[in-house]
Structures are given as C-alpha cells and as structure tokens.
Amino acid sequence: MRTGLLIVGVFYLSGLLGQNVLTLHLDSSQVKIEKEIYGHFSEHLGTCIYEGIYVGEDSDIPNINGYRTDVVEALKELNVPVLRWPGGCFADTYHWKDGIGPKEDRPSIVNVFWGGVTEDNSFGTHEFLDFCELIGTEPYLSINVGSGTVQEARDWVEYVTSSNKSPMTDLRKKNGREEPWKVKFWGIGNENWGCGGDMNPDYYSNLFRHYSSYIKGDGFQKVICGPAGGDQHWTEEIMSTLQGKNNLAQGLSLHYYTLPTADWSAKGSSTDFGEEMWFKTLYNTMLIKDYIKEHLAIMEKYDPEGNIKLIVDEWGTWYDKLPGTKDGFLQQQNTLRDALVAGINLNIFNNHADKISMANIAQIVNVLQSVIMTRDAQMVKTPTYHVFNLYKVHQDAMLIPSEVITESYRYEDKSIPALTASASEKEELISITLTNSNPHKNLQVKCDIGRSIESISGRIVNSMDITDYNDFNKAEKVFIEAVEINQPKNNTFDLTIPAHSVLLIQLKLE
Ligand code: AHR
C-alpha cells in the first residue's frame, strides 16, 4: 500500500515538475492490437459513396470498374483493415434487394436522413463487396433492424455468404457472382436508441436476440447496438437483457463524436478556430477514455469472461458544415487539430486492445473526419490520413504496456495531459506513437525501455499552424516527415516532441 502511494506520489511530482517520462514494459506484452482498430466507415451520405468512392465506369475521372483510381490507390497504401457499410442511420432504411441486379432496374429511393437526395442504388451489395476485395479490406455489413425484417436480414446473409444451392444463391449467381464473399462482421441495427427506430433498450435488445438467432455463419462476429458517449443506462440494460445469451453477440458498439462545443446547433468551425476551440476539442476527445472505462466495467459485470468486445464503430470530429455545402452532407475540413484527435484516440484504443476489437472512424471519404477528400477529379490526403498511415505499424502488433508521466496542458481553468502514447512490437521492431497537445511548447520526454537499443528512427506529422490543412491544387501543408532522434544511452533516450505534433518512434533492440 505504502509503496503504491509512493509510486503514485513520484509520478504526480514528476508531472508537476514538467518531467515527462515514458516507461515501456517490454516483457509484459501479451495482447494483440487487432488491426480492425484501424477500421473505417462508409455511408450513403453526402459524397462519401457517390463521387468519393464510386463515379461509375463511364466517368471521365480515372476509375477501375467505376471506383476512383486515386482513392483506391490511397486506401491500399493505408492498409484499411475493415470497412463498415451502408450506414449509419441510412442502414436502418436500406433494403438490400434495391441494390442488386441490372442497374437500370434498380429503384430510386429518397435518402431520408441525409439531405433528402435521390439514391439510385447503383452502388449496392456487389459494388461494396467487390470494392472491399479491390482495396484488400474486410467488409462489415450493417443490417436494417429499424425498418427491415428478420427474413430480409436472413436472405442477405444467405445471398452474400452461402455456397449451397438456394433461391438467394441462385439470384447471386444470376447477378454475376458465382462464389460467396467472406463477410465476418455483421452489425444488427445502428443507433437504435435514436435514428434506428427510437427504441427503448429493453425492446431493442429483445429484437436483437430475435435477429441474431437467424443471422448465423462460420466465424460470424455480430455486433449489438451499444451506447452513445457516456450513456451507461443503455449499456446496463442491453447487457442485462443479453445475460446468459452472450453467444448471440461478439461485440457491443460505442459511438462517440468529438465536438468542440457541447451544442449540436453550433458545433464550431472546422477551419476558423483559435486556442480555445483547439483545447476544447482535445479535452472533449479525451473524454472517450472515461466512457470506455465505464462501459467496460458494466460489460464485465454481465460478461466476466470478456466474450463481448467493445467496438467503437463511429468516432471522430463533427464540426459545422463547410460554408456553401449542402445540408445533411456533413462536409468539413480536416486540420492539424484532427491529426491530434486521431493520434490521441488511436493511442487510447491501442492501450485498451484487450477489450476493444474494432474501431471505425467516421467517415472514409468526404464526410466528417475523413482520411480523403475529393473534388471532381482531384483528391487530397487529409492530416488524419497521415496519422493513420503513421500508426499502421500497430496493426496486429503486440501491445507493449506503457506508463506515461506527463505535464499538463492548461487552458483557463481546465487541463489535459500534454502527452499521450502507446507502443507495440512486431517483427522485432518496437513502435511508439506519441502526441503533444500543447500548441505552444515542445515536450521533453525521457523514455525508459529497460533494454539496450541498437537503432532508432522517427517520423512526424506536424505543420506551422494548428489550423493548417491540405487543400486542392496546393502543396500539402500537413504530411509525414522524418525527424532526427537523439541517440540512446544505455536503456533510455531523450525525445523532443514538437508542439502540436504526432510522432512515431521506431526502435531495434540489441
Ligand atoms: O456518421 C454520421 C451519422 O452519425 C451516422 O449515420 C449515425 O449513426 C450517427 O449519428
């Protein structure tokens, strides 16, 4: 007890004195960081699918079977491990049979949630699953519970995954696909406490049990709709209704969006902000750490074996729409602030890799905190793209438990830790990712690895100003650069993490 207090005291004092220390526990590495933590989300919303991913074979924009070549190449480079589709709120209005067969016969529908635009269904099940194959990613399908039926869901599973003869598999073959696809991840409903039917938890979880018992297949990972942010009541009710039936779900979803303000009608600009909004955004994004802890504690109560993992299948920033863009299209810019949000969240997810098996940033192209933005034939990689590219070294690596002593970054009467970090090991290479939230001050950090180091290298995402972003027709401002790192002495090395940056350090041990 006394030793514990002493250690806590030393840590606290070091933080106060501005001594930042990162300690890695190399010998305690037992947990794999599932690559799916680096997942993405694509919804029929704004220009995410149409224009962003799919332009059709007749487009002047260079494409492979209708998929934008530039976007395909950029996503391949990122090693996108999993992609969620078709929503979001759209999923609970989506009838998959509208999106199969000859395109000219597919019905046009109204996209009621997102701008009331016409959805011509030219991008459907085949187009999505073929896209996943093209970029080498696992599909994650969201089943319509809000306005669908159990039969419709069952038919979709059979159409997509069965190799037996049946009316559904005959239909698939008639539509040009002989072999089934491999689909492991199935979400059963989306935000059913809100846009997915405005249900109460008791009603939804019984509905989930009903759907789940008909959605079966080898190695299926089924995801039950979980809470938004800190809603512990929803988690408690869902987990208690599942009790004893834990085999029906392998994942519980969590959605948390980072807004600079707490006001959905005035969230704040994605480009025009000062230190106050910078701080509030990073403060709010860090709240996810507490939410994760709280939900995991409830889950553990009802599922002590930990069979049900937490799946953060929507996360990222949400600002006011860009001036001049359509209502309901959720178009925003992506600045260095978003790079910090990405780095901080990914460090948090890595550090909970024993309990979090997937996370999907919202959304992949042109919507919310996207990694890619397109305009006609042009494409840019956003600061968030570069952070995902930097952090991809953690995919399927072994988590190295770490301890961080950090000074605070204070703004007015609130403060957050200036430094966040996570570390992993793969193929004898140790990767450490670090963020510095302080926009004014470089952080000096002592890193204790506990073993002799042979070589060290670093790469960074940073820029001059916190509001910098990558714009069409202009040289990139925010990108990945190599940085010089002080040579290690014995088992330690000293790092400088520049203000407002995200850093990757890689080490080889002797
Ligand atoms: O990502 C945009 C929307 O946010 C999704 O459709 C919904 O699930 C969430 O509210």
Side-chain angles (χ1 to χ4, degrees), residues 41 43 45 84 87-90 114 190-191 193 195 255 257 314 318 330 362-363 367-368:
F41 169 37
E43 180 167 10
L45 193 176
R84 180 171 180 248
C89 299
F90 180 78
W114 305 118
N190 169 75
E191 298 196 350
W193 35 261
C195 67
H255 288 184
Y257 284 100
E314 288 187 31
W318 195 323
L330 313 188
Q363 299 193 7
V367 170
L368 299 175

Side-chain angles (χ1 to χ4, degrees), residues 37-48:
I37 283 182
Y38 290 82
H40 293 258
F41 169 37
S42 56
E43 180 167 10
H44 286 242
L45 193 176
T47 54
C48 179

